[in-house]
Amino acid sequence: MPTIVTPPDPQISVDKFIRAMKTPHKLLSLHPRSVGHPGNSAALSPAIVLTSISAFEGFAEDFTAIMLAHAGAGFVEIAQAVGKWNNPALPEFAGRAKQDYPAAAAAIDAPTSISVFEFPHVGRPGSVQRAHAWSRILTESRGWMQVRHALTHGLTTGWRSERWPPPLRTTDPPASSVLRQMSATEHSLGLYGAINCARIYSLGARKIAEGVAGVSGHSLDWSALPEFE
């Protein structure tokens, strides 16, 4: 099986991911963040979710391929590994990284937290930021993948309060688990929900990639990664 003689530097993959994440970051900057219904700006929230998860998927595939090449894999093995993925969330990326670089497991699974917005009970305004543990972040990334599925298949709009469909697999959390409850049956994405999605996927991807870099002799520069505030 032919191998890649000179694998690319994994920083190339990081740079492309950062470039892709600048699109949802620019979308965020367009939101007026004013009190009351944002009007047409409400469409920015689903756009941020869609572009953030798309950027992550591209990075997960690209980074995995490059690191497989550094591990000595050939073109066929790389194509098979990446080609088997179907909408990978953070757990799939982490699992593949640990499979290819077992020594990275400790760093990837190491306790950490990411700050996300939590929403109060239905009927109460406002939100608060709390640090969610890594295990919870992994689960929430699956929830956001369900949000993405509903949006891309036209099952929901993402810019209003609405009913979100259940997951296709019973092992996945429902989309509603990461959204704001508006009534007994309806949930809303909202701007802060979109920020949560962008944070989870950008910072989660960074943690996993750093774990691999730490045991493979590579140094990754994330200084230009956009912050979603």
Side-chain angles (χ1 to χ4, degrees):
M1 182 183 298
T3 59
I4 299 176
V5 178
T6 307
D9 189 324
Q11 181 63 43
I12 293 176
S13 181
V14 172
D15 291 341
K16 289 192 290 186
F17 180 49
I18 290 174
R19 189 178 304 121
M21 286 303 298
K22 288 183 178 179
T23 294
H25 192 253
K26 287 184 178 294
L27 290 172
L28 176 61
S29 69
L30 295 175
H31 200 285
R33 300 199 182 208
S34 54
V35 178
H37 195 278
N40 288 338
S41 295
L44 292 170
S45 297
I48 291 170
V49 169
L50 292 172
T51 50
S52 294
I53 295 182
S54 293
F56 163 77
E57 285 186 330
F59 172 69
E61 294 175 356
D62 199 46
F63 186 82
T64 296
I66 288 176
M67 297 314 299
L68 273 171
H70 278 279
F75 288 109
V76 175
E77 183 179 354
I78 293 172
Q80 290 177 339
V82 176
K84 289 188 298 184
W85 267 349
N86 181 24
N87 301 134
L90 289 180
E92 285 73 33
F93 184 34
R96 184 72 217 193
K98 290 186 288 185
Q99 177 181 331
D100 299 334
Y101 287 84
I108 293 174
D109 295 333
T112 190
S113 62
I114 293 177
S115 178
V116 301
F117 288 97
E118 289 187 349
F119 308 109
H121 295 296
V122 59
R124 298 181 61 185
S127 60
V128 62
Q129 290 194 55
R130 298 190 191 281
H132 286 192
W134 179 239
S135 59
R136 184 171 178 178
I137 289 297
L138 292 174
T139 300
E140 289 176 348
S141 77
R142 290 191 186 278
W144 282 111
M145 191 58 71
Q146 294 303 313
V147 173
R148 186 270 187 97
H149 174 79
L151 294 173
T152 55
H153 287 273
L155 303 176
T156 55
T157 66
W159 44 261
R160 62 186 180 186
S161 177
E162 53 201 327
R163 295 188 180 189
W164 293 75
L168 296 176
R169 298 178 298 187
T170 57
T171 54
D172 284 331
S176 59
S177 66
V178 293
L179 302 175
R180 182 170 191 165
Q181 186 175 3
M182 304 302 290
S183 71
T185 59
E186 294 188 342
H187 291 75
S188 174
L189 169 55
L191 182 66
Y192 291 118
I195 291 174
N196 285 349
C197 179
R199 286 183 182 176
I200 286 171
Y201 272 101
S202 60
L203 298 179
R206 175 176 178 172
K207 182 182 191 297
I208 296 167
E210 283 287 353
V212 174
V215 300
S216 61
H218 294 93
S219 179
L220 303 177
D221 180 8
W222 296 88
S223 59
L225 183 67
E227 295 184 4
F228 291 83
E229 301 291 342

